[in-house]
């Protein structure tokens, strides 16, 4: 039936014989388009949530930190939501995500200080389709990334810096703001000395150290062994005289 005839029947006919009970076929092209945008939206949410260090690695297996986070997510997906194991894994996942968000926030602080108030979010967004072949200054961006890792605490880790920030540096190079970004990173997040983070070790005499290792309680055998060794030392000392 033509579309005009169907409209006529719907408006003026009381019988149902003219009704077209067959559902109209969906446009396959429209369905594929909707599926495509749905997949892209999921990828974008995945990148924004997990901030993968290697955004182009869809298997998340090339870097140790990405692989650890991905394995936790896969393990949690096989558990019942709300169970103790699910909640325990969620704590570990959120802790790893929080570390990544902290790095991103530090980058955002510097970008906004450079004047990119409105553009900071878009500059920090790296999609899963990011490719090294599309970078304009890959070599310079990688060198600046290593400089930030070795001369600042913006990443605050000893592992290799996340590759996703190389794409951001490539954009800053194009905007002629990369060098200034590195200088501000040196000022805002200076490199900390390793000794500052370590607790000072108090050097004690040997006997005091040995006595502090002896547990208090019923560990009689360990105490006897210690006394025996002390007696042997005394005998040896006397033999020297």
């Amino acid at each position: 039936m033509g579309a005009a005839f169907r409209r006529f029947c719907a408006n003026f006919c009381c019988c149902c014989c003219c009704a077209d009970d067959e559902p109209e076929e969906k446009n396959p092209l429209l369905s594929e388009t909707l599926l495509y945008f749905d997949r892209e939206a999921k990828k974008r949410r995945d990148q924004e949530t997990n901030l993968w260090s290697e955004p182009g690695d869809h298997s998340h297996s090339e870097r140790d930190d990405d692989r650890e986070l991905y394995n936790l997510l896969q393990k949690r997906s096989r558990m019942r939501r709300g169970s103790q194991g699910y909640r325990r894994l969620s704590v570990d996942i959120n802790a790893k995500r929080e570390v990544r968000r902290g790095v991103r926030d530090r980058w955002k602080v510097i970008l906004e200080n450079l004047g990119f108030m409105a553009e900071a979010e878009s500059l920090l967004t790296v999609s899963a389709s990011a490719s090294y072949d599309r970078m304009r200054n890959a070599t310079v961006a990688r060198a600046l990334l290593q400089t930030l890792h070795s001369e600042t605490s913006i990443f605050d880790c000893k592992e290799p810096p996340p590759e996703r920030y190389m794409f951001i540096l490539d954009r800053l190079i194009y905007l002629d703001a990369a060098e200034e970004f590195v200088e501000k990173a040196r000022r805002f997040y200076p490199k900390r000395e390793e000794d500052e983070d370590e607790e000072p070790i108090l050097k004690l005499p040997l006997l005091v150290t040995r006595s502090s290792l002896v547990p208090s309680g019923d560990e009689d055998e360990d105490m006897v062994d210690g006394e025996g060794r002390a007696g042997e030392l005394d005998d040896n000392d006397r033999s020297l005289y």
Side-chain angles (χ1 to χ4, degrees):
M1 296 183 183
F5 182 72
R6 284 199 299 269
R7 287 196 298 270
F8 174 81
C9 292
N11 292 328
F12 300 103
C13 289
C14 299
C15 60
C16 60
C17 60
C18 296
D20 191 0
D21 296 333
E22 297 180 2
E24 295 184 1
E25 295 183 2
K26 293 183 178 179
N27 188 344
L29 181 60
L30 179 61
S31 300
E32 292 178 3
T33 303
L34 292 176
L35 288 174
Y36 170 78
F37 283 113
D38 182 64
R39 287 194 299 268
E40 291 301 313
K42 289 181 179 178
K43 290 179 181 178
R44 187 163 54 251
R45 288 195 298 270
D46 178 65
Q47 285 291 337
E48 293 173 355
T49 303
N50 297 306
L51 297 173
W52 299 109
S53 298
E54 187 73 43
D57 176 24
H58 302 291
S59 64
H60 309 302
S61 60
E62 293 184 6
R63 285 179 59 102
D64 293 339
D65 54 349
D66 281 352
R67 185 167 57 252
E68 290 176 4
L69 177 57
Y70 180 74
N71 289 338
L72 289 174
L73 290 169
Q74 291 298 307
K75 188 175 181 180
R76 188 182 67 172
S77 66
R78 294 190 292 268
M79 291 190 172
R80 181 175 58 83
R81 181 181 291 271
S83 64
Q84 184 177 2
Y86 186 96
R87 293 196 301 269
R88 192 172 297 167
L89 286 172
S90 296
V91 172
D92 296 336
I93 291 170
N94 289 332
K96 291 184 177 297
R97 286 173 173 173
E98 188 63 29
V99 172
R100 299 178 179 218
R101 284 193 292 266
V103 175
R104 188 180 187 276
D105 290 343
R106 290 191 283 273
W107 277 70
K108 186 177 180 180
V109 167
I110 300 179
L111 288 175
E112 291 179 345
N113 187 267
L114 288 173
F116 298 106
M117 302 295 294
E119 301 85 0
E121 287 293 336
S122 59
L123 285 172
L124 289 170
T125 301
V126 181
S127 65
S129 60
S131 173
Y132 297 107
D133 298 334
R134 300 177 185 174
M135 296 179 64
R136 301 179 180 89
N137 301 279
T139 304
V140 179
R142 184 175 294 278
L144 291 176
L145 185 69
Q146 294 299 328
T147 299
L148 288 170
H149 182 252
S150 61
E151 299 182 12
T152 74
S153 61
I154 194 169
F155 294 113
D156 198 21
C157 66
K158 296 182 179 179
E159 291 78 15
E163 293 287 321
R164 68 180 299 108
Y165 291 99
M166 193 168 70
F167 295 95
I168 302 170
L169 286 170
D170 183 62
R171 299 168 186 172
L172 293 177
I173 294 171
Y174 179 76
L175 296 172
D176 197 22
E179 293 292 343
E180 191 175 357
F181 182 93
V182 174
E183 290 301 322
K184 285 188 178 293
R186 288 192 181 104
R187 286 185 9 229
F188 288 8
Y189 307 103
K191 186 71 173 179
R192 294 195 301 264
E193 296 293 337
E194 294 181 358
D195 295 339
E196 293 179 2
D197 297 333
E198 297 179 357
E199 296 182 359
I201 301 175
L202 181 61
K203 294 184 178 180
L204 298 176
L206 178 61
L207 293 179
V208 177
T209 305
R210 288 175 58 85
S211 63
S212 63
L213 296 177
V214 178
S216 59
D218 299 330
E219 302 290 340
D220 295 335
E221 295 181 359
D222 293 340
M223 295 180 68
V224 170
D225 292 338
E227 291 176 357
R229 285 192 293 270
E232 293 174 3
L233 290 174
D234 292 339
D235 294 338
N236 292 332
D237 292 339
R238 283 194 295 270
S239 64
L240 294 175
Y241 295 96

